[in-house]
Amino acid sequence: MMKKIIVALVILVAVLGLGFATIGNTAKKNTTNNTTSPATQQIVTNTNNTTDNSTNTNITSAEAQKIASKYIAVSGAIAGTPTLTKQNNKLVYIVPVIDNGKNVGEIDIDAQTGENLGGAGGAP
């Protein structure tokens, strides 16, 4: 009798765990697609987490990454994968600065002009 109760509890716990795992994997998240052409890129708006799939930019994600890499002063640090966002009604690539596998800052690149708009982090 005791073995049947234990087996039933183990099965119940397994089913509940599987249910929670399934729910966690189906949660929707806003993502940014940086592999498209400059003509159409998906952006994430910082104010309300909505997306806009019909926004034009003059530079690509790869170009923004290359521009940002010119401004990295830390030896061995690299420019990570840019994220296209809207800041103050302006399209901006947020390019993470990666050092030893850690995000140590960011460089903001104007998606229309390629201008360095500043950023954050990077101090020793």
Side-chain angles (χ1 to χ4, degrees):
M1 180 71 171
M2 190 66 154
K3 288 182 181 181
K4 288 182 181 181
I5 293 173
I6 292 173
V7 170
L9 287 174
V10 169
I11 291 172
L12 178 65
V13 168
V15 169
L16 288 174
L18 183 60
F20 283 120
T22 302
I23 290 170
N25 287 335
T26 59
K28 291 186 178 181
K29 299 177 183 176
N30 283 334
T31 58
T32 302
N33 182 359
N34 291 322
T35 59
T36 59
S37 68
T40 304
Q41 296 202 13
Q42 181 181 26
I43 64 164
V44 177
T45 305
N46 288 341
T47 56
N48 59 9
N49 290 333
T50 60
T51 58
D52 177 358
N53 289 320
S54 60
T55 305
N56 292 325
T57 61
N58 288 335
I59 65 169
T60 65
S61 173
E63 290 170 325
Q65 188 174 18
K66 187 175 181 180
I67 293 167
S69 67
K70 295 176 185 177
Y71 295 97
I72 297 174
V74 177
S75 178
I78 61 169
T81 303
T83 302
L84 184 62
T85 66
K86 265 190 183 174
Q87 292 180 350
N88 301 322
N89 292 322
K90 182 184 260 190
L91 291 173
V92 176
Y93 283 106
I94 307 295
V95 184
V97 177
I98 311 296
D99 187 27
N100 291 325
K102 293 183 181 179
N103 186 339
V104 295
E106 66 183 38
I107 298 173
D108 301 348
I109 303 295
D110 187 303
Q112 299 303 325
T113 66
E115 176 187 4
N116 179 350
L117 302 174

